Amino acid sequence: MRFYQEFIKGLWKEIPPFKLVLGLCPTLAVTAAAANGFFMGMATTFVLVCSNVLISMLRKVIPSKVRIAAYILVIASFVVIVEMMMKAYVFPFYQILGIFIPLIVVNCIILGRAEAFAAKNGVLYSFADGLGIGIGFTIALTFLGALRELFGVGSIWGFAVMPASYMPFEFMIKAPGAFVCLGVILGLMSLVGKK
Amino acid sequence: MRDIIKMIVVLSIISATTGAALSYINNITAKPIAAAEFQYLKEPALKSILPAYDNSLVEDKIEVAIGEGDSAKTITVYPAKKDGKLLAIALETFASSYGGDLGAMVGYDIEKKRLSGVSITTMSDTPGLGTRTKEPKFIDQFKNVPLDVTLALKADGGGIDAVTGASISSRAVCKAVNDAIGIIRDNGDKIISEVK
């Protein structure tokens, strides 16, 4: 039961970046298209789950004075693994996401979950927490990407959905479009949450 | 004191373990990464500058030692063959440009004794300015250039039209192509004999 709760909270109650307003750098930078957001989310989820599990396993061994250094070592290693895997097997997406893959190391969602959750809870719950938050992040990025791609290019996931007469609203796939989209979603979500 | 020793031991063990894991993964992925980089970065460049070929450029590529003394180095040459006959060779040269190193893949048609084309492989210049050197209007000027000329921009007394607002990038492309021409001129026979 608790396993389920730890998992499900990442999908709405604490969904990053909408509820926990963390990890905004990749959120704003890579969501020009749905597929980009999805792959960024998947890469982050992998790192988050692995680092949560490992840090939870090591939580009694790591001295608290050097815990951040230890967490960063663990996180950075998983990020490099993801980077090498993406380079080897999905190179086109590596080209698109480029610098944002190594930057997952400093994504505060991951260090945040390590410090706030994995360091205090068991392996199983940390796994659920990482998976939930990671999938929440993936959904959020994919949704934001889909929205921006729909209005900015007229397609979703590369497939044209708008009629051919639709004039692409190019503002949406530029950086300011990301801010506006994110702001509107944040506003709508707190409106829904108030009821 | 015990605290300090514990910290040192724990951090060292974590570092050593993650280091070992990374080198293991690196070993596994090195080959697929090289193949992917070739497929997505080099192969499109090679296809666009070489005449139609039917051999595998990855399998047939050779390393050729050129130059003497201090300027000695090894270059990678891609031979394009059709029905076993060598049609053209391609090699990559670099020149420093506005945003860092610029790589140019230069193709040379052996029968015509002229360049078959040039393609930019890596560059980190300003998008919209320096990157416009990739456009046919600029890069096609290097097609069919014979080996006895030294290329230069019109502003420098040569015959190449620079991309407006990107003279540094344009000049870097000229320099990389000139280097390639020099290598082919001085070592062409050696390269061709080694390909076979």
Side-chain angles (χ1 to χ4, degrees), chain B residues 29-102:
Chain B
T29 52
K31 258 197 169 163
I33 289 177
E37 281 180 343
F38 184 83
Q39 185 190 346
Y40 290 101
L41 297 179
K42 296 229 169 83
E43 191 142 56
L46 285 163
K47 271 226 170 87
S48 70
I49 60 167
L50 290 171
Y53 55 88
D54 58 8
N55 60 324
S56 156
L57 297 181
V58 200
E59 282 170 25
D60 291 351
K61 74 172 180 197
I62 54 161
E63 307 284 328
V64 182
I66 56 158
E68 278 166 18
D70 287 345
S71 61
K73 56 179 175 178
T74 321
I75 53 163
T76 306
V77 176
Y78 301 95
K81 299 177 187 170
K82 183 141 200 203
D83 304 326
K85 187 169 172 279
L86 183 64
L87 295 177
I89 54 171
L91 52 94
E92 193 177 16
T93 48
F94 296 90
S96 79
S97 181
Y98 194 70
D101 264 359
L102 174 146

